[in-house]
Amino acid sequence: MIYKPDGSEHVVMGINGQFPGPTIRAEVGDTLDIALTNKLHTEGTVIHWHGIRQLGTPWADGTAAISQCAINPGETFHYRFIVDKPGTYFYHGHYGMQRAAGLYGSLIVDLPKGQSESFHYDGEFNLLLSDFYHTSSHEQEVGLSSKPMRWIGEPQTILINGRGQFNCSLAAKFSNTTLPQCQLKGGEEWAPQILHVEPNKTYRIRIASTTSLASLNLAISNHKLIVVEADGNYVQPFAVDDIDIYSGESYSVLIKTDQDPKKNYWLSIGVRGRKPNTPQGLTILNYKTISASIFPSSPPPITPLWNDFEHSKTFTKKIIAKMGTPQPPKNFNRRILLLNTQNSFNGFTKWSINNVSLTLPTTPYLGSIKFKLNNSFDTNPPPEKFPSDYDIFKPPVNPNTNIGNGVYMFQLGEVIDVILQNANQLSGVGSEIHPWHLHGHDFWVLGYGEGKFKQGDEKKFNLTHAPLRNTAVIFPYGWTALRFRADNPGVWAFHCHIEPHLHMGMGVVFAEGVHKVKNIPTQALSCGITGKMFFKPGHY
Ligand code: C2O
């Protein structure tokens, strides 16, 4: 649809005529039946329910070429799954770069009626953060897969609930930018959603990031943020002035409206981790005692410097599990080391894991593995480690990578350790941030370390209050250690949540207990080799 998310007109992917898509709100234990009708005329689509583990319904995970076939134009697919855990989630397209095209929305799971959270709040807000590009996702996709690669660059605008301002600023009179003051009447589709609050109350702000590229930082002038939830898991509450949020993550923070009620305050969102070229996203926290149109009396909070990684690490390390959260098994059955590198393949720029860049097969894995089709993907196991003499502080000595689509197959119930190892980029000096997201599970984050993971580093693992999450970042030149139990039959993507990185191969595929998967709708298998096998409707 044609829309003006930031005041300038573009094509975005909407749902039911809305951008972002409608917020889905459910209660723990509910079964959602979501009918997705593909009204795009020229391409398939799927929707992934980010953070929902899909216990028993791996075919509803919404990952093209992994859990299902893309839904053809005109067709309808029913996602039917149970939401088993309260929290702040979202959904998004998981085919090509449709997330970058704007195919996303919020998914919130409340506690069952009659139950209340362990923290009190009087009201809540929901902020879905994204970054917006003026080039179409198709143009971005073609550029990334061209020789030489054309990088997408930095986003034009940060959107809060699909709203942002391009070429003007809400806070022009404070900043030393040359941007003019935005002229808004209030009804525009790019007008900010104001957070109206009453004094001396507590509010819960749900925040999720579905950015294509940007790592973000959120702050509210004069107000502390008390973090209580991360990725649908409770954390030991802690107070900070600002939070970092990477693509694929979600948080709930509490704020107390205990500041001067005769003033309004800024909520600002800035870019971190990469040299920014995108203005802050802004909205206003309005104390209802005064008009929302009165300007805050001071400038918006300044985003910490993009390369102040210590600030990011300090924040990340404050996140520990709420007391009483199940803790990781003391031992693991299998440990996989995954080296993240930027490489080239016949002159194309790629991202690789242990020197394999993921290229998805045409037949979704769930069907190929379930029906033991040996020729639909590479059945050789992908590498579980990388050469021990690899120098992560230098560009790769041999920049060439392989492409592949092998699967890490786990025994059902095995305890898996994953060590994500960051490294230097393809050329020059530098190492990027990558937020890794796992489908089908939460994992415990055992720790973050500097440099190359080595024998003895596991002594520093946090096995007593490790936070459960579904997304965890690797810092430049560092490693991140995760542990999870492979106890959810299905095939699960594990990948960098930065859309162009995934598109350039930065992901792996895990599978466990697929023989136990039942009731895959035929429609999910109606392409590739499985499509030729099944032509009668029904369940297999
Ligand atoms: Cu939100 Cu596979 O991603």
Side-chain angles (χ1 to χ4, degrees):
M1 59 198 240
I2 293 176
Y3 209 72
K4 290 186 184 169
D6 63 359
S8 67
E9 199 171 81
H10 295 280
V11 172
V12 298
M13 279 190 189
I15 298 177
N16 296 354
Q18 295 177 37
F19 171 77
T23 295
I24 299 173
R25 193 132 197 163
E27 262 178 37
V28 172
D30 283 354
T31 299
L32 298 183
D33 185 336
I34 301 166
L36 174 63
T37 302
N38 181 5
K39 293 266 177 104
L40 303 166
H41 293 285
T42 53
E43 57 191 297
T45 194
V46 292
I47 286 185
H48 167 57
W49 316 94
H50 181 113
I52 305 298
R53 290 173 295 170
Q54 301 292 355
L55 303 175
T57 51
W59 55 267
D61 194 41
T63 44
I66 298 175
S67 66
Q68 71 170 112
C69 301
I71 304 158
N72 290 320
E75 289 181 355
T76 298
F77 185 83
H78 284 261
Y79 290 99
R80 224 179 122 80
F81 57 91
I82 294 175
V83 287
D84 65 313
K85 223 155 49 81
T88 307
Y89 307 102
F90 54 101
Y91 60 84
H92 60 77
H94 214 298
Y95 183 45
M97 287 178 59
Q98 293 183 345
R99 179 159 59 91
L103 192 56
Y104 47 73
S106 292
L107 170 57
I108 293 170
V109 182
D110 290 306
L111 284 170
K113 267 190 198 66
Q115 283 186 33
S116 52
E117 302 282 12
S118 64
F119 42 88
H120 162 84
Y121 53 99
D122 303 292
E124 75 167 68
F125 298 99
N126 177 42
L127 307 180
L128 181 61
L129 311 180
S130 56
D131 49 3
F132 189 62
Y133 284 83
H134 289 176
T135 43
S136 75
S137 61
H138 290 123
E139 191 175 337
Q140 294 179 31
E141 189 177 338
V142 171
L144 292 170
S145 26
S146 292
K147 190 157 63 171
M149 183 260 291
R150 293 195 197 177
W151 178 239
I152 60 167
E154 298 301 312
Q156 274 63 58
T157 314
I158 302 298
L159 305 182
I160 307 174
N161 291 342
R163 292 154 178 267
Q165 296 79 39
F166 177 67
N167 262 348
C168 73
S169 168
L170 299 176
K173 67 177 214 171
F174 293 105
S175 49
N176 30 9
T177 93
T178 49
L179 293 177
Q181 184 68 35
C182 297
Q183 301 299 325
L184 281 155
K185 294 194 191 68
E188 297 86 347
E189 47 206 40
W190 53 286
Q193 266 174 11
I194 309 248
L195 281 54
H196 301 283
V197 297
E198 278 166 22
N200 297 312
K201 301 266 187 218
T202 301
Y203 289 87
R204 176 181 191 166
I205 307 181
R206 298 177 184 269
I207 307 158
S209 173
T210 182
T211 55
S212 219
L213 176 69
S215 303
L216 302 175
N217 179 274
L218 178 147
I220 305 177
S221 3
N222 296 42
H223 293 74
K224 288 260 180 220
L225 311 172
I226 301 157
V227 181
V228 293
E229 180 215 340
D231 298 355
N233 292 291
Y234 296 111
V235 301
Q236 200 57 31
F238 62 97
V240 282
D241 291 320
D242 58 271
I243 66 162
D244 279 336
I245 178 162
Y246 302 95
S247 182
E249 294 187 328
S250 69
Y251 289 100
S252 282
V253 300
L254 302 178
I255 61 161
K256 285 202 171 61
T257 49
D258 55 3
Q259 295 300 303
D260 184 350
K262 294 274 174 320
K263 285 183 180 167
N264 288 322
Y265 301 88
W266 292 110
L267 182 152
S268 72
I269 293 164
V271 173
R272 304 266 287 125
R274 316 175 52 90
K275 197 165 188 202
N277 196 14
T278 313
Q280 277 186 331
L282 293 172
T283 188
I284 282 169
L285 181 75
N286 161 241
Y287 278 60
K288 283 193 222 167
T289 27
I290 61 166
S291 157
S293 60
I294 296 175
F295 264 105
S297 53
S298 45
I302 295 168
T303 303
L305 271 186
W306 71 273
N307 56 358
D308 182 356
F309 294 111
E310 284 316 308
H311 186 95
S312 312
K313 289 174 193 170
T314 306
F315 171 71
T316 305
K317 288 174 187 168
K318 281 188 178 147
I319 302 166
I320 59 169
K322 189 185 168 202
M323 289 223 278
T325 309
Q327 281 302 293
K330 291 286 169 264
N331 298 304
F332 62 93
N333 301 109
R334 192 161 154 192
R335 176 173 289 166
I336 299 177
L337 294 166
L338 300 177
L339 175 69
N340 292 230
T341 54
Q342 196 183 26
N343 301 78
S344 62
F345 179 77
N346 292 342
F348 296 99
T349 306
K350 296 281 183 191
W351 286 92
S352 309
I353 305 309
N354 293 350
N355 218 33
V356 180
S357 185
L358 180 64
T359 311
L360 292 168
T362 45
T363 307
Y365 292 103
L366 188 60
S368 331
I369 300 175
K370 166 90 185 165
F371 301 105
K372 303 196 168 66
L373 312 177
N374 285 329
N375 45 358
S376 74
F377 65 94
D378 182 0
T379 48
N380 295 312
E384 307 231 338
K385 52 181 194 285
F386 54 94
S388 57
D389 59 356
Y390 189 94
D391 186 351
I392 65 149
F393 295 103
K394 298 240 170 72
V397 175
N398 174 4
N400 296 321
T401 185
N402 303 305
I403 57 172
N405 55 27
V407 176
Y408 293 88
M409 302 271 188
F410 302 141
Q411 295 297 316
L412 193 58
E414 264 187 321
V415 177
I416 308 296
D417 270 15
V418 174
I419 315 286
L420 289 162
Q421 177 67 59
N422 211 340
N424 199 87
Q425 62 205 28
L426 184 53
S427 57
V429 180
S431 177
E432 291 185 31
I433 282 188
H434 303 283
W436 276 81
H437 170 62
L438 177 59
H439 291 225
H441 309 80
D442 287 328
F443 48 68
W444 288 278
V445 183
L446 303 183
Y448 301 86
E450 308 283 333
K452 192 147 89 174
F453 182 80
K454 53 183 185 313
Q455 276 288 304
D457 277 340
E458 61 265 12
K459 294 207 192 76
K460 294 176 242 162
F461 283 176
N462 171 6
L463 298 173
T464 52
H465 43 267
L468 275 168
R469 303 208 62 167
N470 61 52
T471 305
V473 74
I474 48 171
F475 291 109
Y477 300 110
W479 54 261
T480 299
L482 316 172
R483 182 169 291 179
F484 67 96
R485 199 181 281 280
D487 56 1
N488 188 14
V491 187
W492 309 109
F494 179 47
H495 61 87
C496 174
H497 211 264
I498 292 177
E499 185 97 314
H501 288 180
L502 171 59
H503 193 71
M504 294 159 86
M506 197 167 206
V508 293
V509 177
F510 292 161
E512 70 233 24
V514 175
H515 58 283
K516 297 223 158 151
V517 175
K518 288 194 205 73
N519 301 324
I520 306 174
T522 323
Q523 204 188 347
L525 304 167
S526 61
C527 62
I529 304 174
T530 47
K532 296 195 181 78
M533 287 171 59
F534 306 114
F535 46 88
K536 277 194 312 204
H539 284 90
Y540 289 86

